[in-house]
C-alpha cells in the first residue's frame, strides 16, 4: 500500500479526538470560520426496566410542534415515563418556513430530530412516529396509526395508556370549506408544504419556458396568488417576490416579464394585527414592488386554473387565472380534536378549551396547549359572590379595605382581566376601582356590600383576551407546563398559586401568563418590520438585521427551542444564499 | 422609526458591494472560514433575434447528465443555437449519491442548475424541462412531453427540429425483468432515489420502534438488502452501515440490535472490476463490520416483504424477509433509445452504437454519448484490404517497410486495438508484428503481400475493448465532442484525424480516446480503496482523505464539471456531519 503520511496522520488525529477537539481542528483547517458547538449530551439507555418504573406516571405527549417540543425540552423531573406520539419525528422552526419556499434557508436547517432532543435529556422518553386518531378520556387511552407516507406499506395501529395526557397537536389550515382549496391550493404549515411550493415555483417557470405555449398561457402559469394577508401570507409573498426578482430572471430571461404576484385579503388591510405604521409601510412596499394587493377579496372557489373571488363590499364576482395558489388564511381544528371535544361536551366550541393551568375543562389529567387549544379565562362575574365571601372572613356581609387588601393580589393573579381593566382605565390599584363604586368615601372607612362589590367589578370581564395562535404562545405554554411538572411534588406541599375562591386552600401553581416579546414580519428585499411591547416599532433594513441577529443569537423567543446545530445551519444558509444566490434545481 | 445605526450602516455596505467584496465581508464577519468564490459570469440575453440567427445550426442536446453537461460546459463556439431537453433541470454529481442516502452530504449540495451553467456561458443556449419520448431521424425532429412530476396538471407536448442531435440521455436501472423489482425495490440512479432511500431508512427505524410489533417483525423491517456488488452497491452498503452503526443506535436504542445489512451478488466477488487486493480488503472489511455478504445469489423475485434468491451453483431457492431493498445491478436501455435503435436498424443490438467519433452509425448529424451509447470499434479484419491498398501507393501488390511506416501512425490511431495487442505481446512497434508474420527476414528488405499482411493483423481485434459505463467516460466524451464542435471549421480546412482507409483524405478529427484516471470505492468508516492507472492501489484511511481532497480540489476527473458552489457546499456538509452527525429527520 502506498503511503500518504500526512493524510494518515491527520486521519488518526481526527479519529482519536473528542468532539471539542474536532471542532478546533476543523476551525483551524478552515482558517477559523462560522463554527458552532453542538449541545453535548451523553446517551442513556431508556430501555431497561427496573422495579421503580411501575410507580412512574405515564405521560403521553401528542405532537412535536412548538408546544410539545418546548414541554419536552424543559421537563427535568425524572419521575415520569414520557411517550411522545407525532407523525413528524422532528421539530420544525416554523417562522422560517416562508424562507424555505425559495431556498433562502434549506428545509433540513430548520428541523431538529425529536430523538436528538430526547437523547440529550437522559430521561425515560420514548417516541412513536404515528398519528393519534382517537382520544378516549374515559379509558385513559389513545389510539394511533402510522401515517400514509410510510414506504413500508400497510398501516400499523396501536393504543397507548396514559396517566397524564398532553394534547399539543397543533391545528390544520382553515379552508372555510371553500370548494377546490384542498385539491388545488398549497398550504404553508409543514416543511413538506414549503418544499412542494419551492418545486412548484420552479415548475411554473420551466413550464412557461416551453415552446408550445401561448403568451396568455405563460401569463397564467406565472401568476402566483397568495390568499391571506397575515404574517405568513405576507412573508411568503415577499420571499417569493425576492426569488422571482433577484434570482429567476437571470435564469428564465424569456419569460421573466410574465411573472406576477397577487395577494388577496378579505379584510381592509394586510398585517392587521400589527401597528398601523407597519401595515402602511408593508402595503406601500408591496405596491412599489409590483405585488398586486387586492383588499376585500373573498375567495369563493378555486378550480384547477382559476380562482374566483367576491368583493366584500360590492359583491362583484370575478375570476383570475393562476399558476399557483398558496392558501394562508388562518387555522382550523383537526378532526381528532373535534371528535374529542364532542366526547367531553365541548361540541359547540370552536376550539378545545382549557383552564388557566392548561387543563382541559373537567379532566384533571389532560392538558392541552398550543394552537389546538385556547385558555378559557374564568369570568369574574361568575365568581363574584365566591370572591366576596372569601374576602369577608368574618361573614359580616361587608368588606372593608383591610379585608380586601388581603385578597387583592390573589384576585389579580386569578383574574388577569382585572389588571388589564385597571390599566385601560388608568387606575393604579384596585382600590381606585372600589372607590369609584362606593362613591369616594374616605378610603380607610370604606365598606362594600356584595351589591356594590359586584357593580365595581361588573365591567372588568370586557378585558378578557384570547391569546393569539402563535409559536411564542405555544412555546411558553410548553415551558410553563414542564415547569409545573418539574415542581409538582414541591408545590403539592407548598402551593404557590392564588387562593381557590370557590374551594379551599390555594391553587397548586401560578396560572399560565403569557409574556409578549414582540413580533417580526420580514417584508423582503432585506427589510422587515418589528413590533415590540410598549409600542416600539422598527421598520426597514435595520429590522432585517435585528431579525437575523435575534434569530441567530440572543432571542428570548427561541433561545431554548433552537439548538446550536440549527443556528449554525441557518446562518450558514444565509451566507451561502448571499454568495451564491438561491438554488433553482427542481428537487 | 427607531434607529439601529450599526445595522443600517452594515446593511448599506452589503447592498452596495460587488460579489467579491461580499465574500470578503462575510469572510471577515465570520472570522475567515471556508469560503469559496462562485464562478462569475455576466448574463447575456438569449432572447433577441437577429438576422444572423437564421444561419446558425440548431443543436439539440438530450440529457443533463455527465455527458450532456460536459458538452455544454466545454462548448465555446457561438455559431450554434443550442437547445437542451431534459426532465431534470440540474446536473447531479452522481458519485456522491450514496452519501446522500444517509445525509453525509445533502442532495442540494451535489446538484447544479443547468440554467446556471448556461447563463455563465453567455451563449445562445435554451433549456426545456421535458422528456424526449421519440426521435425522428428522417424528419430531423424530436418529440417531447413534460414529465409527470409537474404540479401544473396535464402534459404539455411539443416537437423540436434539429440540424444536429446529441443523444446523452443516460440509462435506466436494469431489473433483468425480475418480477417485483420495479414495484418493491429502490434504485439509486437519481437524486430523488437517494432522498427516498434516506426517508425509508428512517421510516424503517421508526416503524420498528412501534409497540405493536413482534420482534420477528422488527427484525424483518430492519433488514436492509442491497442487490449488486458493484461500486454503487458496495458504497451504498458501506454508507448505510456507517449510518446504522454511528448515528442511529443512539436515537433508536430499543431496536438497534435488530438492524442487519445483507449484500447479494450474483458473481463470486464484490467489486470485481477492481484489483483483487481491493476486492479482498472490501470483503474482509464488510465481514468485520457484520455486513452479510452472499455471493452467487441471483435474485429471482421480490415480493413486498420477501426477496427470493437462487444459488448460482447449487440452484437452491431461498427467501429472505426484508424491510428495504436497494437494487443496483447495472444499467439498461431506455425505451426511447430502444425505439430509436429499431428505426435505424440497430434493433438487434443491446445498446446504441456509434463510431469512434461518437456519431450514430449511418447518421452524420446524430451523436450519442454517455451511458446510452457505446463506441463500436471498427475491426481491422474488415478493413485489412483497404489498409493494404492505401499503404501500397504504387499498387505493386507488395508492402515494403517504407510504405508501411508512412501509414503506421494512422493505423494505430484509427485502430487502437493494434496498440493494445502490441502491448499485450510486449512488442515495441508494429514492425515486430510484421517481422513475426514474414518469418524474420532482414527488416529493410521485408516485403508483405496481402495474405501475410492479413495474417499479421488477424489477432489484433481480440484486444477491442468496450468502455465502461462510468461518469469519467461520459464526461470525457462530452468534452471531446464540444472540442470537435469548437474547431469544426478549422478542422474542415485542416483535417487532423487519421487517414480514411476506405475513402480519400483524412478524418476531420482525431477519434475519441478515453484516458483512465483511476477509480475510487469508498468503503465506509472513513476508509476507501483507490485504483489508479499503472496498477497503483491504495486502501484505507489515507484513501478516504485522498477522496476528500480529490473531490474538493484538484481532481482531473471532475474539475471542470463541478462548480465552486458545489464544492463549497459538499465540504461544508462534510464538516457539518463531522461536528453534528447526520440528521435523522424524516423529510
Amino acid at each position: 500500500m502506498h503511503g500518504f503520511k500526512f493524510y494518515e496522520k491527520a486521519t488518526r488525529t481526527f479519529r482519536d479526538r473528542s468532539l471539542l477537539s474536532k471542532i478546533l481542528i476543523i476551525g483551524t483547517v478552515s482558517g477559523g470560520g462560522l463554527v458552532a458547538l453542538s449541545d453535548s449530551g451523553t446517551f442513556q439507555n431508556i430501555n431497561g426496566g427496573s422495579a421503580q418504573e411501575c410507580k412512574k406516571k405515564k405521560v403521553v405527549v401528542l405532537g412535536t410542534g412548538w408546544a410539545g417540543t418546548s414541554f419536552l425540552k424543559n421537563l427535568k423531573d425524572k419521575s415520569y415515563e414520557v411517550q411522545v406520539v407525532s407523525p413528524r419525528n422532528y421539530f420544525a422552526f416554523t417562522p422560517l418556513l416562508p424562507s424555505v419556499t425559495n431556498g433562502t434557508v434549506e428545509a433540513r436547517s430548520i428541523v431538529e430530530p425529536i430523538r436528538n432532543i430526547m437523547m440529550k435529556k437522559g430521561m425515560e422518553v420514548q417516541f412513536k412516529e404515528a398519528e393519534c386518531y382517537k382520544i378516549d378520556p374515559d379509558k385513559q387511552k389513545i389510539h394511533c396509526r402510522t401515517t400514509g407516507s410510510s414506504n413500508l406499506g400497510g398501516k400499523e395501529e396501536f393504543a397507548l395508556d396514559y396517566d397524564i395526557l398532553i394534547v399539543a397537536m397543533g391545528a390544520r389550515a382553515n379552508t372555510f370549506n371553500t370548494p377546490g382549496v384542498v385539491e388545488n391550493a398549497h398550504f404553508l404549515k409543514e416543511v413538506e408544504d414549503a418544499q412542494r411550493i419551492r418545486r412548484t415555483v420552479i415548475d411554473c417557470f420551466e413550464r412557461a419556458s416551453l415552446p408550445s405555449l401561448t403568451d396568455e398561457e405563460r401569463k397564467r402559469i406565472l401568476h402566483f396568488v397568495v390568499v391571506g394577508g397575515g404574517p405568513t401570507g405576507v412573508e411568503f409573498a415577499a420571499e417569493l417576490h425576492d426569488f422571482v426578482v433577484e434570482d429567476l430572471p437571470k435564469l428564465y430571461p424569456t419569460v421573466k416579464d410574465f411573472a406576477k404576484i397577487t395577494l388577496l385579503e378579505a379584510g381592509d388591510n394586510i398585517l392587521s394585527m400589527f401597528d398601523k405604521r407597519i401595515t402602511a409601510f408593508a402595503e406601500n412596499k408591496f405596491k412599489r414592488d409590483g405585488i398586486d394587493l387586492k383588499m376585500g377579496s373573498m375567495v369563493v372557489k378555486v378550480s384547477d386554473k382559476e380562482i374566483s373571488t367576491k368583493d366584500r363590499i360590492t359583491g362583484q364576482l370575478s375570476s383570475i387565472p393562476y399558476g399557483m395558489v398558496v392558501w394562508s388564511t388562518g387555522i382550523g381544528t383537526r378532526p381528532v380534536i373535534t371528535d374529542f371535544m364532542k366526547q367531553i361536551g365541548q361540541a359547540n366550541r370552536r376550539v378545545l378549551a382549557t383552564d388557566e393551568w392548561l387543563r382541559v375543562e373537567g379532566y384533571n389529567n389532560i392538558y392541552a396547549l398550543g394552537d389546538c387549544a385556547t385558555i378559557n379565562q374564568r369570568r369574574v362575574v361568575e365568581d363574584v359572590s365566591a370572591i366576596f365571601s372569601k374576602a369577608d372572613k368574618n361573614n359580616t356581609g361587608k368588606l372593608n379595605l383591610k379585608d380586601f387588601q388581603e385578597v387583592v393580589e390573589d384576585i389579580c393573579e386569578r383574574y388577569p382581566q382585572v389588571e388589564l381593566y385597571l390599566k385601560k382605565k388608568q387606575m393604579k390599584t384596585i382600590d381606585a376601582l372600589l372607590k369609584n363604586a362606593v362613591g369616594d368615601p374616605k378610603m380607610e372607612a370604606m365598606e362594600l356590600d356584595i351589591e356594590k362589590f359586584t357593580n365595581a367589578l361588573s365591567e372588568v370581564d370586557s378585558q378578557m383576551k384570547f391569546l393569539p395562535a402563535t409559536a411564542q404562545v405555544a412555546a411558553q405554554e410548553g415551558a410553563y407546563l414542564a415547569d409545573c411538572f418539574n415542581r409538582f411534588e414541591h408545590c403539592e406541599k407548598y402551593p404557590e398559586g392564588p387562593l381557590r375562591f370557590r374551594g379551599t386552600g390555594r391553587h397548586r401553581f401560578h396560572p399560565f401568563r403569557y409574556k409578549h416579546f414582540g413580533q417580526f414580519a420580514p417584508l423582503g428585499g432585506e427589510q422587515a418590520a418589528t413590533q415590540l411591547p410598549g409600542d416600539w416599532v422598527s421598520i426597514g433594513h435595520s429590522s432585517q438585521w435585528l431579525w437575523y441577529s435575534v434569530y441567530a443569537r440572543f432571542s428570548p423567543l427561541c433561545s431554548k427551542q433552537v439548538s446550536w446545530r440549527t443556528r449554525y445551519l441557518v446562518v450558514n444558509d444565509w451566507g451561502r444564499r448571499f454568495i451564491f444566490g438561491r438554488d433553482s434545481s427542481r428537487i
Side-chain angles (χ1 to χ4, degrees), chain A:
Chain A
M1 196 188 301
H2 298 243
F4 277 88
K5 289 292 176 204
F6 168 75
Y7 288 122
E8 275 183 3
K9 269 196 183 167
T11 311
R12 248 182 245 133
T13 316
F14 257 56
R15 278 177 294 148
D16 299 347
R17 298 294 167 105
S18 69
L19 179 72
L20 184 59
S21 332
K22 282 186 185 178
I23 292 165
L24 291 177
I25 291 171
I26 287 218
T28 316
V29 168
S30 69
L34 266 168
V35 168
L37 272 163
S38 81
D39 301 30
S40 68
T42 45
F43 162 65
Q44 310 236 348
N45 193 337
I46 63 171
N47 199 19
S50 71
Q52 202 206 341
E53 244 175 59
C54 311
K55 296 172 208 157
K56 286 193 173 183
K57 277 199 175 169
K58 280 187 195 164
V59 176
V60 172
V61 180
L62 299 179
T64 51
W66 282 93
T69 307
S70 169
F71 173 78
L72 275 184
K73 284 211 165 187
N74 288 284
L75 188 67
K76 290 188 195 100
D77 189 331
K78 302 197 177 185
S79 68
Y80 300 98
E81 185 194 321
V82 182
Q83 309 225 42
V84 183
V85 177
S86 170
R88 301 182 313 182
N89 77 352
Y90 52 85
F91 162 73
F93 189 80
T94 47
L96 286 177
L97 271 188
S99 296
V100 172
T101 60
N102 64 2
T104 302
V105 168
E106 287 303 325
R108 223 163 258 285
S109 303
I110 67 162
V111 302
E112 181 77 23
I114 281 294
R115 287 177 186 272
N116 275 7
I117 296 168
M118 286 158 33
M119 191 182 81
K120 284 171 192 157
K121 300 203 70 70
M123 273 177 65
E124 192 147 349
V125 180
Q126 290 198 22
F127 177 79
K128 319 273 179 229
E129 193 187 73
E131 185 184 34
C132 167
Y133 66 92
K134 187 164 182 63
I135 299 168
D136 186 340
D138 300 328
K139 292 189 185 150
Q140 302 204 159
K141 233 184 223 312
I142 58 157
H143 297 271
C144 310
R145 67 175 151 236
T146 52
T147 52
S149 67
S150 170
N151 287 269
L152 285 165
K155 294 206 173 184
E156 201 64 50
E157 302 213 348
F158 60 93
L160 289 179
D161 296 318
Y162 64 80
D163 296 317
I164 299 168
L165 181 65
I166 295 169
V167 184
M169 301 170 84
R172 63 185 175 88
N174 196 348
T175 66
F176 302 102
N177 293 321
T178 312
V181 175
V182 172
E183 296 84 355
N184 300 303
H186 290 262
F187 300 112
L188 189 42
K189 279 202 68 67
E190 306 283 341
V191 175
E192 283 91 347
D193 296 336
Q195 290 176 308
R196 214 174 297 126
I197 288 173
R198 181 173 182 179
R199 274 196 298 275
T200 304
V201 173
I202 298 296
D203 250 357
C204 288
F205 273 86
E206 289 293 356
R207 182 65 79 99
S209 305
L210 295 182
S212 54
L213 300 175
T214 62
D215 281 358
E216 202 56 38
E217 271 288 285
R218 292 202 170 93
K219 226 168 132 181
R220 176 185 77 76
I221 288 174
L222 292 181
H223 187 204
F224 302 100
V225 180
V226 183
V227 183
T232 306
V234 166
E235 191 184 342
F236 170 67
E239 290 271 3
L240 181 62
H241 175 263
D242 283 2
F243 194 29
V244 165
V245 162
E246 287 175 17
D247 299 76
L248 296 182
K250 290 174 273 180
L251 302 178
Y252 300 87
T254 55
V255 298
K256 68 178 196 297
D257 298 329
F258 297 105
K260 189 185 156 195
I261 301 170
T262 299
L263 198 154
L264 303 176
E265 162 61 43
D268 295 326
N269 290 105
I270 60 171
L271 297 178
S272 54
M273 67 293 294
F274 278 84
D275 189 279
K276 273 178 195 158
R277 286 168 287 176
I278 290 178
T279 300
F281 179 86
E283 289 181 0
N284 283 329
K285 179 174 184 307
F286 273 22
K287 277 174 198 159
R288 277 200 311 278
D289 287 347
I291 296 176
D292 194 6
L293 286 178
K294 290 205 172 140
M295 307 299 184
S297 281
M298 297 186 304
V299 176
V300 291
K301 192 185 151 196
V302 183
S303 77
D304 62 340
K305 293 183 178 174
E306 281 191 341
I307 180 163
S308 308
T309 60
K310 184 179 172 180
D311 192 282
R312 194 165 48 91
I313 295 156
T314 66
Q316 205 191 333
L317 292 167
S318 52
S319 268
I320 320 168
Y322 74 87
M324 179 179 84
V325 166
V326 173
W327 190 271
S328 164
T329 58
I331 56 170
T333 311
R334 288 185 189 278
V336 51
I337 300 288
T338 312
D339 173 74
F340 177 54
M341 284 161 70
K342 273 184 201 151
Q343 290 183 63
I344 60 170
Q346 293 196 10
N348 54 346
R349 284 189 174 275
R350 206 180 51 79
V351 59
L352 188 59
T354 71
D355 66 14
E356 294 86 339
W357 290 268
L358 310 181
R359 286 173 303 201
V360 172
E361 288 178 353
Y363 292 86
N364 268 323
N365 64 340
I366 306 183
Y367 298 82
L369 50 164
D371 287 1
C372 70
T374 192
I375 295 173
N376 190 24
Q377 256 178 45
R378 187 90 194 155
R379 292 170 175 275
V380 171
V381 92
E382 292 174 58
D383 293 348
V384 73
S385 61
I387 299 170
F388 189 88
S389 62
K390 201 70 158 195
D392 179 23
K393 280 185 202 159
N394 314 321
N395 284 323
T396 58
K398 298 265 183 189
L399 276 192
N400 61 28
L401 193 66
K402 193 172 151 284
D403 288 341
F404 191 72
Q405 272 165 345
E406 277 174 24
V407 295
V408 67
E409 263 186 46
D410 293 300
I411 292 176
C412 287
E413 183 170 16
R414 182 69 187 84
Y415 308 97
Q417 61 263 50
V418 175
E419 226 163 342
L420 290 172
Y421 184 77
L422 294 175
K423 205 172 170 187
K424 198 194 161 200
K425 295 282 178 191
Q426 298 182 310
M427 298 175 182
K428 275 191 184 159
T429 62
I430 203 164
D431 300 355
L433 188 68
L434 301 177
K435 216 165 68 178
N436 268 4
V438 293
D440 201 359
K442 271 184 186 157
M443 285 300 286
E444 289 72 23
M446 183 186 82
E447 282 202 333
L448 295 108
D449 57 15
I450 176 88
E451 200 182 332
K452 282 190 179 143
F453 186 70
T454 307
N455 276 343
L457 294 173
S458 62
E459 278 179 31
V460 295
D461 287 335
S462 65
Q463 292 305 306
M464 290 207 313
K465 275 187 183 162
F466 287 105
L467 295 177
T470 63
Q472 253 184 91
V473 171
Q476 288 183 29
E477 287 179 344
Y480 164 82
L481 194 62
D483 189 52
C484 293
F485 274 55
N486 291 338
R487 298 180 305 115
F488 199 88
E489 281 189 27
H490 178 261
C491 292
E492 185 83 32
K493 283 183 207 150
Y494 313 103
E496 62 183 20
L499 273 177
R500 291 183 198 265
F501 288 107
R502 287 168 303 149
T504 54
R506 307 188 76 83
H507 286 277
R508 199 181 286 123
F509 303 109
H510 295 294
F512 172 71
R513 195 66 67 84
Y514 172 59
K515 194 165 177 348
H516 186 62
F517 287 108
Q519 221 170 344
F520 277 99
L523 300 173
E526 300 284 322
Q527 299 197 59
T530 320
Q531 184 170 356
L532 298 184
D535 211 22
W536 200 97
V537 165
S538 156
I539 311 174
H541 294 287
S542 52
S543 263
Q544 181 71 21
W545 278 93
L546 187 63
W547 164 236
Y548 284 149
S549 52
V550 162
Y551 176 71
R553 295 207 180 185
F554 35 73
S555 161
L557 285 73
C558 50
S559 58
K560 280 203 174 168
Q561 205 79 346
V562 178
S563 69
W564 279 106
R565 176 184 155 280
T566 310
R567 264 176 243 197
Y568 164 82
L569 293 179
V570 169
V571 172
N572 205 352
D573 283 349
W574 283 334
R576 192 211 54 215
R577 198 272 296 175
F578 193 66
I579 302 174
F580 300 109
R582 301 176 183 95
D583 181 24
S584 68
S585 309
R586 194 177 53 73
I587 57 171

